[in-house]
Amino acid sequence: MSRARMTDSPAWASATPRLSVLIPFLRDDPTDLLNRLEAEAPDLNGQVEIVLLDDGTGDAKLTAALEQRVTTLRLPARLITLTANEGRSRGRNRLASAARGNSWLFLDSDMRPDRSDFLAAWLALIQREDPAVAFGGFSLMQAPTDARYAVHRSIALKSECLSVEAREQAPEKYVYTSNLLVRRDVFAAEAFDPAFSGWGWEDVEWAMRVARNHAVRHVDIPATHMGLDTTASLMAKYEQSADNFARVIARHPTVVATYPSYRAARLIRRLPARGALRSVVRSTVLQDWLPAGARAFALRLYRAALYAEAV
């Protein structure tokens, strides 16, 4: 494991939190998110702590600024700074090992709460139901509307920014570690698999394991995903995710078989010229003059063509 440096807020040592908010980041500045959460401090009575993990950013200026900010917080908070990157699964597992609450909220650093009582709403849910797992939902309410993000925006609105009712149709599928509540005993039994590398599917695979023994709740406590990608960046992430998709298929074939992405990949797998198809749709995605919806459809087809090699 990488060497870690700890920086604590004044309230950290004496706090006995009920909820731990776990925020990993790599080369992002989580200060804006931290400030928004800190605004709720007077109403939380020390029941919520923040644990941040810098997963090997290596930016001395950012580290110094964050350490200074943490030491001024009213919320109980700890900043863990790593000297080298450990990856998405190992990083989140390390965050979990530092958490002291009985419930943990995994919150990505590029998320922004969509309500001023965001932490209070999560705390109220814990006090009312103490759920094993709950996902609060995505939105793009505060996200940038630049043209370069139009394709990602189109895909996210169609497949990720869904209502509670829509997510409940496949509870384990619509679980992302960007706004995810997990009870301590559940995570102790099922941690994130460190064998996943690159981008994608480690959170959904985790939810598939958890769903065997626990209800996966979906609630309306949304946060905006600010980190929209350019089309080229999103394509690169899909290209990284094919091996992870194969790993999920091997472990949960019955569940994955119900997913449209799997069915599309199986159809493409039968095509004699699937390599040519992949090249054509990739080129289509990159045509800026096409409508965003058409490019988003082509990008989903490109992902299915990539996944065809894994099914």
Side-chain angles (χ1 to χ4, degrees):
M1 277 193 171
S2 303
R3 294 178 59 188
R5 184 165 73 192
M6 312 291 184
T7 304
D8 297 340
S9 71
W12 175 267
S14 60
T16 54
R18 188 163 190 177
L19 171 63
S20 299
V21 182
L22 309 181
I23 306 172
F25 65 97
L26 176 63
R27 293 186 288 276
D28 291 324
D29 184 351
T31 301
D32 184 62
L33 173 59
L34 194 57
N35 290 341
R36 294 179 188 227
L37 300 178
E38 168 73 355
E40 290 195 60
D43 301 320
L44 299 176
N45 300 315
Q47 295 185 81
V48 179
E49 69 177 6
I50 310 293
V51 187
L52 299 115
L53 176 73
D54 180 348
D55 195 8
T57 295
D59 184 334
K61 185 176 180 181
L62 176 60
T63 297
L66 284 172
E67 288 178 342
Q68 194 281 328
R69 183 66 183 106
V70 166
T71 60
T72 66
L73 294 176
R74 291 168 293 177
L75 283 171
R78 164 167 284 182
L79 169 64
I80 305 170
T81 305
L82 302 184
T83 57
N85 178 257
E86 290 189 343
R88 292 163 61 90
S89 292
R90 285 189 175 89
R92 287 179 172 87
N93 289 343
R94 185 190 277 270
L95 276 167
S97 69
R100 300 176 298 178
N102 193 55
S103 292
W104 306 339
L105 178 63
F106 289 94
L107 188 63
D108 281 355
S109 61
D110 60 359
M111 302 297 285
R112 300 293 180 270
D114 286 340
R115 47 194 288 180
S116 59
D117 64 342
F118 178 75
L119 293 178
W122 277 117
L123 198 58
L125 176 69
I126 294 166
Q127 292 169 337
R128 186 172 64 250
E129 300 180 30
D130 195 22
V133 178
F135 181 65
F138 268 168
S139 90
L140 296 180
M141 188 167 69
Q142 305 171 68
T145 56
D146 309 40
R148 58 182 172 156
Y149 303 129
V151 173
H152 193 179
R153 174 178 281 274
S154 177
I155 287 176
L157 288 173
K158 183 178 179 63
S159 61
E160 296 174 355
C161 301
L162 303 178
S163 67
V164 170
E165 293 74 20
R167 287 183 269 131
E168 285 177 337
Q169 299 305 306
E172 84 295 329
K173 181 179 180 181
Y174 298 107
V175 167
Y176 310 100
T177 50
S178 51
N179 187 18
L180 177 67
L181 186 78
V182 183
R183 205 172 58 215
R184 175 182 289 274
D185 63 297
V186 175
F187 199 85
E190 297 286 359
F192 293 111
D193 182 356
F196 280 82
S197 62
W199 182 86
W201 291 100
E202 76 281 350
D203 40 14
V204 177
E205 190 279 330
W206 173 86
M208 290 176 183
R209 282 183 278 125
V210 169
R212 295 168 179 165
N213 299 306
H214 301 281
V216 176
R217 290 270 282 115
H218 284 273
V219 296
D220 189 23
I221 311 177
T224 292
H225 178 212
M226 300 293 290
L228 293 177
D229 288 302
T230 63
T231 305
S233 177
L234 194 57
M235 267 200 301
K237 287 184 174 180
Y238 286 165
E239 288 159 5
Q240 291 177 33
S241 71
D243 287 345
N244 284 351
F245 186 62
R247 184 179 295 276
V248 178
I249 293 171
R251 294 184 177 184
H252 310 277
T254 304
V255 178
V256 179
T258 66
Y259 291 2
S261 55
Y262 176 84
R263 294 197 295 267
R266 291 282 292 176
L267 287 172
I268 294 171
R269 177 77 179 184
R270 300 190 187 107
L271 297 178
R274 61 180 184 271
L277 171 66
R278 189 163 62 243
S279 178
V280 169
V281 293
R282 190 181 195 283
S283 177
T284 302
V285 172
L286 295 172
Q287 302 304 311
D288 291 343
W289 58 271
L290 286 172
R295 295 173 68 201
F297 175 79
L299 184 54
R300 286 193 292 271
L301 186 59
Y302 178 64
R303 179 180 60 186
L306 290 169
Y307 288 177
E309 306 307 315
V311 298

